[in-house]
Amino acid sequence: MKLVHHGAHDGVTGSCHQLWVDDSKSLLVDCGLFQGEDARKRPNPEIEFSLRGIQALLLTHVHIDHAGRIPYLLAAGFSHPILCSVPTAKLLPLVMEDALKIGFTRSKRLIKQFLGKIRKLLVPLPYHQWHDCPGGVKVRLLPAGHVLGSTMFEIELADGRRAVFSGDVGAGTNPLLNPPVSPERADLLVLESTYGDRLHPPKADRQAELEAVIRRTLDDSGVTIVPAFSLGRTQALLYELNAIFERIQETEHRTLMKRVDVIVDSPLASRFTALYKEMKSHWGEEAQVTLETDDQPLVFENLTTVGSHTEHKETVRYLSQHKLPAVVIAGSGMCTGGRVVNYLKEFIGQEETDIVFAGYQAGGTPGNHISRGSDWVRLDGRRYDVRAKTHQLTGYSAHGDQQDLIALVDGMADAPKEIRLVHGDYAAKRALTQKLTAKGYHLI
């Protein structure tokens, strides 16, 4: 087996790996966009590697840093199957539609043609079963616990050797997701390492910290801004906010319906949430139990969704003019663009504002500057002073921490013969390498 990286080997974003199964045939695993500092180093998203010999694309999940270069891949002439989980097949067209509008064209006709081609190439597969794959190999999908539909791919060659690609590994604490499942064995394990140098706080601590922020918002009538990606984090936060509001109402013995607004300002997030609700059968065990008593855990009485851009501007203006408590969830998750930027420009200079980061902030992004405690940040080319309180709730990260990644490896029935770390910065990979090496694993 020969492994070639076209992204996320020396950085965190742009995941794209090519596994040669023999001298003439290969498989591509993910094809994501570069973001933050990675994008500055590689500003051209077009496909610069040869497609010769590539038999199929294995898509671990739909986040943009794993799927965002698919339009460029198809533009370069790729027309082979795209293997993925059933939820990923349902979510990908929405992600691609949004990516096309931002990076390619606003033409509805061209977008429709492209999405039609994507749908023809998609091959949705169930978990835990071996499937024949182009290139003379077999693949099996295992839950990765990162986002709905996220997948680890086991690839078995004709001679019995196995390569395993972890994709992004979840922490196993998101009630909407099934936890990661360790593969049986691997001659080569390609393992992500985003949080390979740190540990997340316990689940109860993260809930208490978020609840403390919400109570502060209620007390000072400020605005809490949560930069969140439309898929995964938004739905997890809605689920937890629903429980937090129920808990506050029980302790205060009064409704919160007129005391605070929860605003999801993202048409894409709203569409993803609707799809999440359609795919309840794929939710995790905790959420399945909740469904027995609450058939709408992602919807609650003080939740408002914002659609059009005009409605978005009116919402920002309304919150600015009225001293009312509000929680705003808006993209993008790293504050590199999207509607969250307008909320930040309006409220980041106010002491009553709280900014809650619930996920990884890539180096060089505005979210990274703000979360590190900078006194100012540049948004849309203009400098803004930061007076808002910032909170980094790493317990809500969709990525597992060092302990979760090690547990995934330890959970394999047979130890992997070789491990290659990807999708992590230098410090994270170095720390995880030291831990795994100390346990006797061989890293290459």
Side-chain angles (χ1 to χ4, degrees):
M1 289 183 287
K2 177 184 175 184
L3 182 62
V4 179
H5 303 284
H6 304 297
H9 183 217
D10 297 320
V12 181
T13 63
S15 287
C16 187
H17 315 285
Q18 187 174 5
L19 178 72
W20 289 89
V21 299
D22 59 32
D23 291 338
S24 61
K25 296 189 290 292
S26 66
L27 301 171
L28 202 62
V29 181
D30 289 339
C31 197
L33 272 180
F34 296 99
Q35 296 173 299
E37 292 178 357
D38 294 337
R40 276 187 277 280
K41 295 175 185 176
R42 301 181 65 171
N44 181 12
E46 295 182 2
I47 303 301
E48 297 176 337
F49 53 89
S50 173
L51 303 186
R52 181 178 300 173
I54 298 177
Q55 305 294 304
L57 170 65
L58 311 185
L59 185 61
T60 63
H61 65 287
V62 299
H63 277 157
I64 208 72
D65 60 328
H66 288 255
R69 271 191 285 171
I70 290 179
Y72 298 93
L73 186 67
L74 268 61
F78 181 85
S79 59
H80 298 287
I82 301 175
L83 280 61
C84 62
S85 69
V86 174
T88 292
K90 293 183 178 181
L91 294 167
L92 184 64
L94 276 185
V95 175
M96 290 295 96
E97 181 180 351
D98 191 59
L100 288 167
K101 289 178 180 177
I102 295 173
F104 271 77
T105 178
R106 305 291 292 188
S107 168
K108 293 182 179 179
R109 180 181 61 83
L110 292 177
I111 290 174
K112 183 177 180 180
Q113 288 179 352
F114 179 86
L115 295 180
K117 186 173 184 180
I118 281 280
R119 289 188 174 96
K120 289 180 180 178
L121 298 180
L122 283 172
V123 181
L125 300 172
Y127 289 107
H128 305 294
Q129 300 176 23
W130 285 105
H131 308 275
D132 290 328
C133 174
V137 303
K138 293 181 180 295
V139 299
R140 181 165 60 179
L141 286 65
L142 297 176
H146 174 69
V147 70
L148 197 65
S150 59
T151 295
M152 295 181 217
F153 276 101
E154 296 178 282
I155 304 168
E156 184 166 289
L157 279 60
D159 60 8
R161 289 179 297 163
R162 285 188 193 176
V164 175
F165 289 81
S166 74
D168 286 351
V169 179
T173 57
N174 187 330
L176 294 172
L177 305 176
N178 289 304
V181 173
S182 295
E184 294 174 343
R185 61 180 177 88
D187 293 275
L188 172 62
L189 171 63
V190 182
L191 178 65
E192 73 115 319
S193 57
T194 309
Y195 285 133
D197 59 347
R198 68 194 76 178
L199 299 176
H200 297 326
K203 182 177 179 180
D205 290 355
R206 81 178 189 193
Q207 292 175 336
E209 193 170 355
L210 180 59
E211 183 171 330
V213 175
I214 298 302
R215 287 183 180 273
R216 172 181 142 82
T217 299
L218 291 169
D219 291 340
D220 63 17
S221 297
V223 174
T224 291
I225 301 171
V226 187
F229 293 108
S230 300
L231 175 64
R233 202 69 44 79
T234 293
Q235 290 74 33
L237 287 166
L238 289 176
Y239 184 94
E240 298 253 308
L241 284 170
N242 189 4
I244 287 172
F245 286 131
E246 287 184 0
R247 195 155 53 243
I248 293 175
Q249 288 178 154
E250 288 175 0
T251 57
E252 296 189 358
H253 306 291
R254 56 175 168 166
T255 179
L256 292 177
M257 187 169 71
K258 295 182 179 180
R259 287 193 60 202
V260 61
D261 286 320
V262 178
I263 300 166
V264 176
D265 193 344
S266 168
L268 187 60
S270 298
R271 294 173 70 186
F272 278 136
T273 302
L275 274 178
Y276 256 65
K277 289 186 285 186
E278 289 179 15
M279 293 188 283
K280 292 176 181 177
S281 61
H282 293 276
W283 289 10
E285 184 177 346
E286 179 182 333
Q288 295 290 349
V289 172
T290 299
L291 284 172
E292 295 176 5
T293 56
D294 183 354
D295 62 351
Q296 294 290 342
L298 302 183
V299 179
F300 39 95
E301 58 185 2
N302 47 332
L303 176 66
T304 301
T305 57
V306 176
S308 69
H309 187 67
T310 298
E311 190 178 357
H312 159 70
K313 290 191 294 184
E314 290 175 350
T315 302
V316 175
R317 185 167 54 249
Y318 177 81
L319 292 178
S320 179
Q321 293 174 351
H322 298 79
K323 193 72 172 177
L324 296 172
V327 178
V328 178
I329 303 173
S332 68
M334 298 184 192
C335 307
T336 53
R339 295 183 177 183
V340 74
V341 173
N342 288 332
Y343 288 101
L344 291 172
K345 289 193 289 188
E346 186 67 35
F347 298 106
I348 200 168
Q350 300 179 17
E351 293 180 354
E352 297 85 3
T353 300
D354 290 274
I355 304 173
V356 176
F357 293 100
Y360 182 81
Q361 302 298 312
T365 61
N368 181 268
H369 286 291
I370 299 169
S371 65
R372 285 191 291 109
S374 298
D375 294 330
W376 62 274
V377 65
R378 197 171 298 279
L379 301 168
D380 286 344
R382 179 181 165 188
R383 174 175 168 151
Y384 289 83
D385 291 332
V386 180
R387 296 190 180 89
K389 289 182 173 61
T390 59
H391 312 266
Q392 184 72 48
L393 304 188
T394 57
Y396 282 96
S397 174
H399 289 271
D401 62 10
Q402 183 186 86
Q403 184 175 325
D404 296 319
L405 296 171
I406 293 173
L408 180 78
V409 181
D410 286 344
M412 298 174 67
D414 296 323
K417 293 181 179 179
E418 295 180 330
I419 301 175
R420 173 77 59 85
L421 296 184
V422 297
H423 206 285
D425 60 28
Y426 175 76
K429 286 199 286 190
R430 181 181 61 182
L432 186 56
T433 295
Q434 291 173 346
K435 290 287 186 179
L436 290 171
T437 301
K439 293 176 73 69
Y441 296 113
H442 177 53
L443 283 90
I444 59 172

